[in-house]
Amino acid sequence: MSDPRALAVNVAANTNEPGFRGPVYPDGSFAYVPIPESAATLPRERFPVDESMPTYGDLDLPFAVPASLRETPVHADPEFPGVHGRERATYGDPYGVKAGRIAALGPGDRLLFYATLTPRPYGWAGPGEERPGDAGADDRDGAWLRERGIAVNDDLAPDWGAYLFAGMRVERVLSGGDEEGDGGGVVDRAVAAERAPTNAHLKRDPFDARVVAVGDPEASGLFDRVVPLSSPDAGSEANPIVTDLSSDSGKGPWWRRPMAFDAAATSRLLARIDRP
C-alpha cells in the first residue's frame, strides 16, 4: 500500500451562511457549526434511516444561536461519530471542482476539513438573540482579546482565519455512480444509502452528491485544537502549510479552495495535527 495522501476542503458556517463564523478560542479549541440546509429535502419517511432533520436548535453548541435560526434545518456534513448527535463519518459533495479530487482518494488517505473562524473569548454568548449582529450579540472578538491583554495562541490570526479542525481516514469513496468513478456524475443513490445512510445529501430532493466519502469511525472526528492555515498576521495571508506543503499557491481567495497534499507533505501535516 502506498503512503497516504490528503485533501483539505472548506466547510462549515461562514458570514454568508448562516451569517456568522464559528468561534475559535484563545487556546485553539473551537466549535464546529454546520451551514444551513439550502436545498429541498425529502419527507422524513423517505430518508434512508428513521431520523429527524436536524436544526440549529438541536446542535450541541457552547453558545446560543439566534432565535430566528433555531428551527432552521442544518446541512450536517461532514458528520462524525459523537458530534452533534451523529454516529458515522461521512462527507458528500455536489461540486465538480471538489468531487473530482475527493474521488481520487483511496483507502487510508485523509480527507481533512477546514473552516474560517473568528477569535472569541471563553464563554462567548453567541451572535445575537434574533439575528447575527443584533443588539443582543456578543461582539467580543480578537480585538477585544488584544485590548485586554488576554493570552492567545501565537499562531491564531488576529480577526478571522482559516483553520483545519477535523478529518477522516478514508475507508471508501463513492463517486460517479459507482465506487470507482471520477466524480463526473451523481453517485448511485442506492449505493450511497447502503454505505452512508445518514449523509445529509441523502435527505435532499433530488439526491445530488457527485461523491460520498466514508471514513473509519475510529480514526475520524474533530481535532482537539485547530491547525492554522492562515498567517498569525492576517487571515487572508496563507501560512507555509498552504504555500509549502499543499498544491495551492496561497494567492487570491485560497481559503475557499481544495488543497491537495502528496505523501511526503501529508506525513508532515499529520505530525503537525498530532502535536499537543
Side-chain angles (χ1 to χ4, degrees):
M1 180 182 294
S2 61
D3 292 334
R5 302 161 299 150
L7 181 73
V9 297
N10 176 265
V11 296
N14 55 63
T15 53
N16 292 322
E17 297 181 297
F20 64 93
R21 299 184 182 98
V24 58
Y25 300 110
D27 65 351
S29 57
F30 62 95
Y32 163 41
V33 186
I35 60 172
E37 178 53 80
S38 60
T41 57
L42 296 165
R44 176 173 176 167
E45 61 270 19
R46 292 181 58 193
F47 293 174
V49 296
D50 183 16
E51 63 178 14
S52 62
M53 188 78 185
T55 68
Y56 279 102
D58 296 325
L59 301 183
D60 182 19
L61 295 171
F63 60 87
V65 297
S68 59
L69 284 178
R70 289 173 194 155
E71 299 303 317
T72 299
V74 297
H75 187 70
D77 199 23
E79 61 173 349
F80 303 104
V83 179
H84 297 320
R86 312 311 294 164
E87 298 179 355
R88 293 176 171 84
T90 75
Y91 177 70
D93 204 290
Y95 301 110
V97 66
K98 289 189 288 183
R101 291 196 171 196
I102 296 171
L105 298 175
D109 288 341
R110 306 300 175 112
L111 180 55
L112 306 175
F113 303 96
Y114 72 92
T116 55
L117 305 173
T118 297
R120 301 292 187 183
Y122 302 113
W124 183 62
E129 287 300 318
E130 296 301 328
R131 60 188 183 279
D134 75 359
D138 185 343
D139 293 323
R140 295 177 296 167
D141 57 9
W144 186 93
L145 294 167
R146 291 191 299 275
E147 288 169 1
R148 285 153 182 80
I150 295 172
V152 177
N153 280 5
D154 291 340
D155 55 2
L156 298 184
D159 298 308
W160 66 271
Y163 301 93
L164 291 168
F165 71 92
M168 66 172 62
R169 187 169 66 193
V170 174
E171 284 190 340
R172 61 179 62 87
V173 176
L174 315 175
S175 70
D178 56 39
E179 297 186 36
E180 305 295 336
D182 62 1
V186 175
V187 178
D188 182 274
R189 190 181 189 281
V191 173
E194 177 184 359
R195 302 288 192 176
T198 57
N199 183 263
H201 287 268
L202 284 161
K203 297 178 173 67
R204 287 185 167 182
D205 185 18
F207 175 64
D208 62 352
R210 295 190 181 192
V211 66
V212 177
V214 182
D216 176 353
E218 300 299 322
S220 305
L222 304 182
F223 303 154
D224 291 332
R225 299 287 185 272
V226 297
V227 174
L229 298 176
S230 293
S231 159
D233 297 322
S236 60
E237 181 179 320
N239 74 18
I241 289 178
V242 178
T243 58
D244 296 351
L245 295 185
S246 88
S247 61
D248 197 275
S249 67
K251 298 179 181 179
W254 57 268
W255 58 90
R256 300 173 186 168
R257 300 192 293 249
M259 303 174 196
F261 299 82
D262 63 21
T266 297
S267 178
R268 293 174 62 185
L269 180 57
L270 293 179
R272 172 64 182 84
I273 291 170
D274 291 340
R275 194 174 76 194

